Amino acid sequence: IMLPLWARVEPESSSRARQLTVQMMQNPQILAALQERLDGLVGSPSGYMESLPKVVKRRVNALKNLQVKCAHIEAKFYEEVHELERKYAALYQPLFDKRSDIVKAAYEPTEEECEWKADEEEELTVSKQEEMKEKAKVEEEKKDEEKEDPKGVPEFWLTVFKNVDLLSDMLQEHDEPILKHLQDIKVKFSDPGQPMSFSLEFNFEPNEFFTNTLLTKTYKMRSEPDENDPFSFDGPEIMGCTGCTIDWTKGKNITLKTIKKKQKHKGRGTVRTVTKTVPNDSFFNFFTPPDVPESGDLDEDSEAVLAADFEIGHFIRERIVPRAVLYFTGEAIEDDDDDVSTHHSLCVMASSLSQTSEPSHWPSHVFP
């Protein structure tokens, strides 16, 4: 995400400016006034354009036609970017597969693979390094005596989720025992010649909660200007998404909860207890997005939930899967926190995905 100009030009003032921006964007009255002003500008020609001679207006129309052609070229550019992503995804995958094998204890890395020189060790003398290594070895042996040697990297993906505000805001306490069984997340791109799309694959080890070992979420994209509004094109848009059916074990479906309510009979005055099953907040609601009708018309709540869903899916694809270990250690968190306003907005959207309450509106563009 490109930072605004003020965030790159004046380091001393950028922090203060950024804080003010965040404060303004969190003020509902300011947002409402800004939206009202922007709505009033849409489709309104400037007075300057109206004052131009007719012959100049004709030439401006020619320039606008050129701009439409630029939009179509830009669409082709993003289609080729998608092809490149598919190509390099195949190169990354063996490394991601090995990461998965280490995490789930299917492969034990060699001593050479485990060597890592931390920044603070660079200035240490050889003797000091050896002393520290010996001390660390003694500590590890002591810990091994106290408890059984853990397999792989326990709770790797759950820790990633909990370390990232964007994802932790989607988690409920009852989600965590299930996510301890999550072994890998993969990104799969559509095949050549097929409509542009990508899928997120969540691989689980056998567990007591559901019988699936694979949960999927597929996002369909479009990279072409709208004929009715070509100037709005700003890169590929996610047009819809499809989840999957989770085969819950009886009594383990955490996306539903049972509530009891007392009802009093108006005539007899007797009281009875009514049991009702209602939706429950959960990360696993992520796999049951609202259906998009062929007309594309959605109510406000569904539109907002989908917009949030699109942003989260794109974030998992672009950030979480490629850099999972850095989110596990926390090293990638600081980079994401640099753009405070965007970070805050995404976290607000994330919380709406796991909840059944009314969410907020956000755009569905995913590029650039």
Side-chain angles (χ1 to χ4, degrees):
I1 298 173
M2 182 69 73
L3 289 176
L5 186 60
W6 53 261
R8 290 176 277 140
V9 176
E10 301 182 44
E12 294 182 2
S13 62
S14 63
S15 178
R16 175 60 178 164
R18 193 180 302 163
Q19 291 175 5
L20 289 173
T21 300
V22 173
Q23 291 173 7
M24 289 173 63
M25 295 305 289
Q26 291 176 353
N27 188 316
Q29 294 178 335
I30 293 179
L31 284 175
L34 180 59
Q35 187 62 53
E36 183 178 355
R37 175 62 176 161
L38 291 174
D39 290 343
L41 291 175
V42 175
S44 301
S46 67
Y48 175 73
M49 281 298 299
E50 291 297 316
S51 67
L52 291 175
K54 186 176 180 179
V55 66
V56 176
K57 288 181 181 179
R58 289 180 66 257
R59 292 166 189 152
V60 171
N61 287 339
L63 296 179
K64 291 170 71 174
N65 284 325
L66 291 176
Q67 190 62 44
V68 170
K69 293 180 179 180
C70 287
H72 284 281
I73 292 175
E74 185 180 7
K76 293 296 182 183
F77 164 78
Y78 282 115
E79 287 179 4
E80 293 196 22
V81 168
H82 188 71
E83 293 297 323
L84 276 175
E85 286 183 309
R86 181 190 293 112
K87 173 185 175 181
Y88 279 89
L91 300 179
Y92 286 126
Q93 197 54 52
L95 302 178
F96 293 157
D97 288 342
K98 194 167 189 177
R99 176 181 70 187
S100 177
D101 288 342
I102 293 173
V103 166
K104 63 186 182 185
Y107 172 77
E108 184 62 34
T110 65
E111 287 295 327
E112 182 180 358
E113 290 174 321
C114 292
E115 283 292 327
W116 181 259
K117 188 174 183 180
D119 293 340
E120 59 269 18
E121 291 181 351
E122 291 180 359
E123 298 180 1
L124 297 177
T125 62
V126 175
S127 59
K128 186 66 175 178
Q129 289 185 37
E130 291 299 326
E131 180 183 337
M132 291 179 66
K133 287 181 180 179
E134 186 62 32
K135 185 177 180 180
K137 184 178 179 181
V138 172
E139 290 293 329
E140 287 180 6
E141 290 176 352
K142 186 178 179 180
K143 289 181 181 178
D144 290 342
E145 293 175 0
E146 295 175 354
K147 63 179 181 180
E148 185 180 348
D149 183 31
K151 302 297 181 183
V153 184
E155 302 179 14
F156 178 82
W157 289 100
L158 174 59
T159 303
V160 169
F161 275 49
K162 294 174 74 173
N163 279 349
V164 181
D165 289 345
L166 179 62
L167 300 179
S168 65
D169 285 345
M170 298 171 64
L171 296 185
Q172 308 298 321
E173 188 174 349
H174 47 253
D175 291 323
E176 295 187 17
I178 305 178
L179 288 172
K180 289 181 180 180
H181 297 285
L182 179 58
Q183 293 186 316
D184 197 14
I185 304 177
K186 296 180 179 179
V187 179
K188 293 292 180 67
F189 292 92
S190 54
D191 293 330
Q194 296 298 313
M196 187 184 294
S197 68
F198 70 91
S199 297
L200 300 176
E201 297 184 349
F202 293 72
N203 295 269
F204 288 84
E205 64 181 352
N207 61 80
E208 62 181 295
F209 301 97
F210 44 70
T211 58
N212 313 66
T213 56
L214 178 67
L215 300 181
T216 61
K217 187 74 170 285
T218 300
Y219 293 88
K220 299 177 182 178
M221 299 186 293
R222 181 183 69 182
S223 180
E224 59 185 47
D226 188 329
E227 291 184 4
N228 297 320
D229 187 17
F231 301 135
S232 66
F233 181 74
D234 193 27
E237 293 178 285
I238 298 179
M239 303 306 296
C241 58
T242 307
C244 66
T245 300
I246 301 178
D247 300 319
W248 294 98
T249 304
K250 186 176 180 180
K252 298 292 185 179
N253 188 347
I254 59 173
T255 64
L256 298 174
K257 64 181 177 180
T258 301
I259 60 173
K260 294 182 178 181
K261 187 176 181 181
K262 292 184 178 181
Q263 288 184 344
K264 186 175 181 180
H265 193 281
K266 291 183 179 180
R268 296 191 295 268
T270 56
V271 177
R272 66 172 182 170
T273 301
V274 178
T275 301
K276 186 178 181 181
T277 300
V278 298
N280 191 29
D281 295 346
S282 169
F283 164 76
F284 290 89
N285 290 325
F286 180 71
F287 296 99
T288 54
D291 292 327
V292 179
E294 291 185 6
S295 64
D297 295 330
L298 292 169
D299 60 63
E300 291 186 358
D301 288 356
S302 297
E303 185 178 312
V305 169
L306 279 176
D309 190 314
F310 297 165
E311 296 288 354
I312 302 303
H314 183 64
F315 186 85
I316 292 174
R317 162 193 156 178
E318 289 291 305
R319 303 284 192 88
I320 300 300
V321 172
R323 309 176 69 197
V325 67
L326 301 182
Y327 286 100
F328 176 81
T329 63
E331 293 169 82
I333 309 301
E334 292 182 4
D335 293 340
D336 288 338
D337 286 345
D338 284 344
D339 192 342
V340 179
S341 59
T342 300
H343 177 74
H344 170 76
S345 299
L346 285 173
C347 290
V348 171
M349 292 191 292
S351 64
S352 73
L353 276 181
S354 65
Q355 298 173 358
T356 56
S357 57
E358 183 176 344
S360 301
H361 284 277
W362 297 97
S364 60
H365 285 80
V366 297
F367 287 100

